[in-house]
Amino acid sequence: MSTADLAAHIEKAEHLGRRFALTAGHYDETGEFPFANFDALHEVGLLGLVTAPEHGGLGGGLTEALAVISAVAQGEPSTALVLAMHYSQHFSIRASGKWPAHLIERVTRANREGVALLNAAQVEPRVGSPSHGSLPETVARKVGNQWRITGHKTYATGIPLLKWVSVLAVTDEAEPRLGSFLVPADADGIRVEKTWNATGMRATNSHDLILDDVAIPLEDVLDIAPASEGLKRDERLGAWYFTLVPAIYDGAARAARDWLIDFTSTRAPASLGAPLSSVPRIQDGIGQIEVWLATNRRLLRSIAEDFDAGRSFGSDSAAVKHVVIENAIQATTLALDLGGNPGISRDNPLERHHRDALSGKAHAPQNNMIRVNLAKGALARYAAREQRPVEPVAVRNPSRPRLVASA
């Protein structure tokens, strides 16, 4: 994608982000799903941002997706989260090599023709996230030329508008296999249980998905392999999740920063005789928020650019998720402190931005798991280094030059 094309798409996203901000409070208060936002994204072509050009998309990479998600998130982060999941799935279609041709054609054609969102359903009430290492309890039974799937998934983000759900399940075969099954969201036997009542990100409608003997063709399955091998994740493609998800909460923090700057620049108490922004404590606090947000911007861009350039980044993307979300929470917390009573008033958006930022902690893997995994990696590298013999460097002791006294 050319620089000019990228700039045009980012400009569209920024414009839509400002539009979405006008109704974000309504969606937060009511918990309604923002259907109109996705109509608008489709109208300007952004639902196909990362879809392959040969399938009618724009062919954008992680750098482009990050820029668009960041812009949308500053306006309405629930919309941004649903869009981020859609982008991650569509890039997987394009790059993972795991999608059969007939499913690629079916999904991308629908994405060209209208709002046809795609997301995965992997988390379960008893098992939790597959990142914890357990197999799902959702079962796919082979009956004739169909799979019949029964199970219970939680946090099906965007379910009111999803066209398909990629459902993680285990087969009931003598030697069970684990795979993702592409299920139409309107299939017979699917029921949505409205369980989403979180303090933030309320418009994502991340409800529970109940599957009761849902039938799909045998060929509509992705990446199926022996269950004994566990869930295999592509570490490089994981950068999409570890970059786009924290960008959403960074977007909420940027919206909080913008509100705080506007408030302190226009509020001039009679006792002060000047705007609050002239107070050193306020300036110091805004400066600290800027430090956190600048760090976030640089970290997120670095992973996106490394991914698109094919450079290695190892476990850095998980560390970036950890840092960016923590920085976003700290930024909105400090903004609340500086905003005083108006900051916590529900008449203003600051408290909503804070609630949205706090929601970032819910995304697996949690920070303690990230830290433990990073520690294990560091300890393993240390152990490997200690096992390698090291040849000492010879020490040279040249004769010191004689000092000659001057006359």
Side-chain angles (χ1 to χ4, degrees), residues 95-115:
S96 70
K98 297 176 180 178
W99 280 70
H102 73 283
L103 292 185
I104 293 176
E105 172 57 25
R106 184 187 306 169
V107 171
T108 56
R109 182 178 66 250
N111 195 53
R112 293 192 300 271
E113 295 173 351
V115 179

Side-chain angles (χ1 to χ4, degrees), residues 22-147:
L22 300 177
T23 53
H26 166 79
Y27 291 120
D28 174 74
E29 184 175 350
T30 64
E32 295 173 8
F33 189 81
F35 293 98
N37 291 358
F38 289 93
D39 290 336
L41 287 163
H42 173 67
E43 288 169 8
V44 299
L46 287 176
L47 293 185
L49 178 74
V50 306
T51 306
E54 61 266 29
H55 294 118
L58 299 172
L62 185 50
T63 303
E64 289 82 9
L66 173 62
V68 169
I69 292 297
S70 296
V72 172
Q74 289 187 57
E76 207 293 286
S78 290
T79 299
L81 179 59
V82 178
L83 182 62
M85 299 304 183
H86 180 74
Y87 281 170
S88 294
Q89 292 294 316
H90 269 263
F91 192 82
S92 176
I93 290 173
R94 170 179 154 196
S96 70
K98 297 176 180 178
W99 280 70
H102 73 283
L103 292 185
I104 293 176
E105 172 57 25
R106 184 187 306 169
V107 171
T108 56
R109 182 178 66 250
N111 195 53
R112 293 192 300 271
E113 295 173 351
V115 179
L117 300 183
L118 170 65
N119 197 2
Q122 298 187 335
V123 184
E124 297 185 354
R126 281 172 25 93
V127 174
S129 169
S131 64
H132 299 151
S134 297
L135 292 175
E137 294 181 339
T138 300
V139 174
R141 297 181 300 111
K142 186 184 291 187
V143 180
N145 62 350
Q146 293 179 328
W147 291 108

Side-chain angles (χ1 to χ4, degrees), residues 48-358:
L49 178 74
V50 306
T51 306
E54 61 266 29
H55 294 118
L58 299 172
L62 185 50
T63 303
E64 289 82 9
L66 173 62
V68 169
I69 292 297
S70 296
V72 172
Q74 289 187 57
E76 207 293 286
S78 290
T79 299
L81 179 59
V82 178
L83 182 62
M85 299 304 183
H86 180 74
Y87 281 170
S88 294
Q89 292 294 316
H90 269 263
F91 192 82
S92 176
I93 290 173
R94 170 179 154 196
S96 70
K98 297 176 180 178
W99 280 70
H102 73 283
L103 292 185
I104 293 176
E105 172 57 25
R106 184 187 306 169
V107 171
T108 56
R109 182 178 66 250
N111 195 53
R112 293 192 300 271
E113 295 173 351
V115 179
L117 300 183
L118 170 65
N119 197 2
Q122 298 187 335
V123 184
E124 297 185 354
R126 281 172 25 93
V127 174
S129 169
S131 64
H132 299 151
S134 297
L135 292 175
E137 294 181 339
T138 300
V139 174
R141 297 181 300 111
K142 186 184 291 187
V143 180
N145 62 350
Q146 293 179 328
W147 291 108
R148 290 191 168 269
I149 305 167
T150 298
H152 183 173
K153 297 295 185 181
T154 57
Y155 309 124
T157 296
I159 189 60
L161 197 53
L162 295 185
K163 179 76 171 178
W164 290 282
V165 184
S166 176
V167 176
L168 187 68
V170 175
T171 68
D172 70 340
E173 298 163 307
E175 295 185 4
R177 291 182 291 168
L178 176 68
S180 294
F181 299 78
L182 191 68
V183 178
D186 60 355
D188 290 340
I190 279 187
R191 176 170 58 87
V192 175
E193 190 173 305
K194 295 186 176 181
T195 54
W196 185 246
N197 191 25
T199 56
M201 302 294 290
R202 290 177 47 75
T204 65
N205 281 227
S206 301
H207 298 307
D208 286 14
L209 187 66
I210 314 297
L211 301 100
D212 184 9
D213 204 33
V214 176
I216 65 168
L218 285 181
E219 61 270 21
D220 288 4
V221 62
L222 324 167
D223 193 28
I224 193 165
S228 58
E229 298 177 3
L231 181 62
K232 295 180 179 179
R233 295 190 185 276
D234 186 315
E235 290 188 2
R236 279 194 61 80
L237 286 181
W240 280 69
Y241 174 84
F242 285 125
T243 303
L244 298 186
V245 165
I248 292 155
Y249 303 102
D250 175 70
R254 291 178 185 280
R257 183 271 316 272
D258 292 347
W259 181 89
L260 180 66
I261 288 178
D262 179 73
F263 171 71
T264 57
S265 297
T266 56
R267 184 71 169 259
S271 58
L272 182 63
L276 288 171
S277 58
S278 66
V279 177
R281 182 180 77 88
I282 300 295
Q283 294 176 354
D284 178 71
I286 292 174
Q288 177 60 71
I289 291 171
E290 287 294 288
V291 168
W292 285 321
L293 297 184
T295 302
N296 283 359
R297 180 175 65 250
R298 289 292 179 175
L299 289 174
L300 292 169
R301 283 183 180 176
S302 70
I303 296 297
E305 291 171 358
D306 282 352
F307 180 91
D308 288 340
R311 293 188 291 264
S312 174
F313 45 79
S315 58
D316 288 358
S317 59
V320 165
K321 171 188 177 288
H322 184 309
V323 171
V324 169
I325 292 176
E326 285 298 308
N327 284 354
I329 292 170
Q330 291 186 93
T332 58
T333 301
L334 181 53
L336 278 179
D337 179 51
L338 298 175
N341 282 331
I344 62 173
S345 171
R346 294 191 64 184
D347 292 332
N348 295 316
L350 183 56
E351 58 84 30
R352 166 165 52 86
H353 299 321
H354 179 60
R355 287 187 284 108
D356 286 339
L358 284 174

